[in-house]
Amino acid sequence: MITKTITLNTGACMPEIGLGTWRANEEGLLAKTVKTAIALGYRHIDCAKFYGNQREIGKALKEVNVPREQLFITSKIWQNKHRPELVPGALDEILDELQLEYLDLLLIHFPYALKPEKATKEFTADDLENVPIMDTWKAMEALVDSGKVRAIGVSNFNKTIIKKMLPQCRIVPAVNQVEIHPYNPSSELVKVCQENGIAVTGYCPLGGTKVSVMDDKLIKKIAETHGCTPAQVALSWILSRGITVIPKSTNELRLKQNLEKVMLTTEELDLISGIKKREHKVDPRLDLKELEWVIHDDIAECPLI
Ligand SMILES: NC(=O)c1ccc[n+]([C@@H]2O[C@H](COP(=O)([O-])OP(=O)(O)OC[C@H]3O[C@@H](n4cnc5c(N)ncnc54)[C@H](OP(=O)(O)O)[C@@H]3O)[C@@H](O)[C@H]2O)c1
């Protein structure tokens, strides 16, 4: 079953369901997963420099018998490459790891920069660097001109940052990839993005390993009614909002189930939208008060635009 697509503001088609690859880096298992996923009909693979597994994904992509133009490959630059002069090299490194000539989509992984020597996720306030987002974005725009990326976008950008960026962009971000699931619907952010032609991709659409969305009573009950899994209910609710999803699984049955959308009734969709519980898996601030602005999108001043 080949997944349906949505049309990005570039005119390109992006499959509405993609394969997440974070923490799927057990040697050998990831390559097998990518090949299985593609055989099942996945055409969108979500990668990132930070996941440390792009070389294995690249090797698997070389071994599948699907033409490059039928695949949609996303990756993300890490925060230590935000200086504009480092952005082209960051893309070249990603292309080298994935063994590709071009990416379909390149994202800025988080809206703040780290010093170039900081390649890991563990960092303190001393490792932060003041690189204005628009400086990085202009370097991303130049990558589109180079032909090495077909579309550019952002990730973990709140609505205040998006609104401040938009008037300064030559190329409007094609995608904002953010955490979306029934316990973190981010309705206002989604509205701002969609009203401005920015497609939203939901990461951790099943709540990841930390958030208990799949144990939610209501979601389980709706799943029973449809004879499907809670995961399918959660994914179908996100898709119904025009948001694309990138669930991660290394299990063949679950990979297959995650591709099978369920037609939920309007009443069921409304009930899920009405869930009040709020939990999220990824906290981009890492408890640093210097990064409060990254999540509190009611703060008028975003220092780094
Ligand atoms: N941009 C960002 O900052 C960012 C942050 C986080 C994630 N992401 C991207 O989003 C992707 C998805 O997020 P995620 O991996 O954190 O979380 P997720 O996809 O919400 O959940 C993955 C977990 O759910 C399990 N699972 C998958 N399908 C299932 C099913 N049908 N039934 C029951 N359990 C199921 C998986 O286990 P099994 O593998 O055993 O099935 C895994 O433990 C990542 O892989 C990554 O590509 C991006």
Side-chain angles (χ1 to χ4, degrees):
M1 184 212 293
I2 303 296
T3 46
K4 259 183 69 184
T5 58
I6 62 150
T7 305
L8 299 178
N9 62 14
T10 58
C13 292
M14 176 167 89
E16 64 175 9
I17 303 173
L19 174 70
T21 62
W22 185 32
R23 300 224 169 116
N25 37 10
E26 306 87 339
E27 186 70 39
L29 180 61
L30 180 58
K32 184 170 167 267
T33 300
V34 169
K35 289 190 223 172
T36 306
I38 290 174
L40 287 169
Y42 285 79
R43 292 293 180 266
H44 177 185
I45 315 287
D46 181 71
C47 314
K49 171 69 185 166
F50 173 68
Y51 303 160
N53 54 15
Q54 296 191 127
R55 212 161 271 290
E56 187 171 352
I57 295 172
K59 193 166 169 283
L61 292 177
K62 281 256 168 304
E63 290 166 14
V64 296
N65 203 12
V66 174
R68 171 67 184 93
E69 61 275 14
Q70 288 179 22
L71 296 171
F72 190 100
I73 311 296
T74 299
S75 190
K76 315 177 191 88
I77 61 164
W78 189 237
Q79 292 151 283
N80 64 336
K81 303 287 185 186
H82 278 214
R83 289 186 193 173
E85 66 275 19
L86 298 181
V87 170
L91 171 62
D92 287 341
E93 230 179 297
I94 289 171
L95 290 174
D96 177 60
E97 288 181 2
L98 288 168
Q99 301 150 64
L100 296 175
E101 299 288 317
Y102 70 92
L103 286 180
D104 296 279
L105 177 65
L106 179 69
L107 307 177
I108 300 179
H109 207 146
F110 285 96
Y112 55 92
L114 296 175
K115 289 176 181 162
E117 61 276 15
K118 210 66 207 164
T120 60
K121 181 103 178 123
E122 287 71 42
F123 56 84
T124 65
D126 289 342
D127 300 313
L128 297 171
E129 181 166 74
N130 285 347
V131 182
I133 287 165
M134 282 315 295
D135 288 0
T136 310
W137 187 252
K138 286 190 177 111
M140 296 278 286
E141 290 176 332
L143 297 180
V144 177
D145 302 331
S146 80
K148 290 180 183 177
V149 294
R150 299 277 160 94
I152 50 176
V154 297
S155 178
N156 296 296
F157 278 38
N158 68 31
K159 68 176 193 299
T160 308
I161 307 175
I162 295 280
K163 279 183 186 167
K164 286 197 157 195
M165 269 182 86
L166 279 173
Q168 304 176 60
C169 292
R170 177 168 66 86
I171 300 176
V172 171
V175 168
N176 187 11
Q177 186 183 119
V178 291
E179 180 168 344
I180 306 270
H181 46 69
Y183 291 173
N184 196 48
S186 300
S187 307
E188 283 184 41
L189 171 63
V190 170
K191 188 164 175 276
V192 168
C193 289
Q194 292 179 338
E195 281 176 356
N196 287 286
I198 303 171
V200 178
T201 295
Y203 74 65
C204 302
L206 305 172
T209 44
K210 199 169 130 191
V211 179
S212 52
V213 168
M214 286 183 282
D215 293 327
D216 185 272
K217 264 197 202 148
L218 173 69
I219 290 178
K220 279 168 101 170
K221 190 163 158 262
I222 294 174
E224 269 170 37
T225 313
H226 288 270
C228 69
T229 65
Q232 284 170 292
V233 172
L235 295 173
S236 302
W237 172 77
I238 302 174
L239 290 166
S240 78
R241 301 170 62 203
I243 299 169
T244 62
V245 291
I246 44 170
K248 171 257 164 191
S249 181
T250 50
N251 173 286
E252 182 165 355
L253 175 63
R254 293 196 280 274
L255 281 169
K256 186 168 176 296
Q257 288 170 342
N258 293 348
L259 276 186
E260 289 163 5
K261 232 185 342 181
V262 179
M263 286 311 292
L264 300 173
T265 64
T266 307
E267 194 195 351
E268 289 166 338
L269 293 169
D270 289 347
L271 282 170
I272 299 171
S273 301
I275 291 175
K276 294 281 177 280
K277 188 167 174 178
R278 292 291 171 263
E279 271 182 37
H280 58 89
K281 179 179 174 187
V282 176
D283 182 354
R285 288 169 309 171
L286 287 187
D287 287 336
L288 295 179
K289 69 173 176 1
E290 291 81 358
L291 292 178
E292 283 293 304
W293 61 275
V294 172
I295 62 153
H296 291 301
D297 59 8
D298 50 346
I299 291 179
E301 261 326 291
C302 277
L304 291 175
I305 309 285

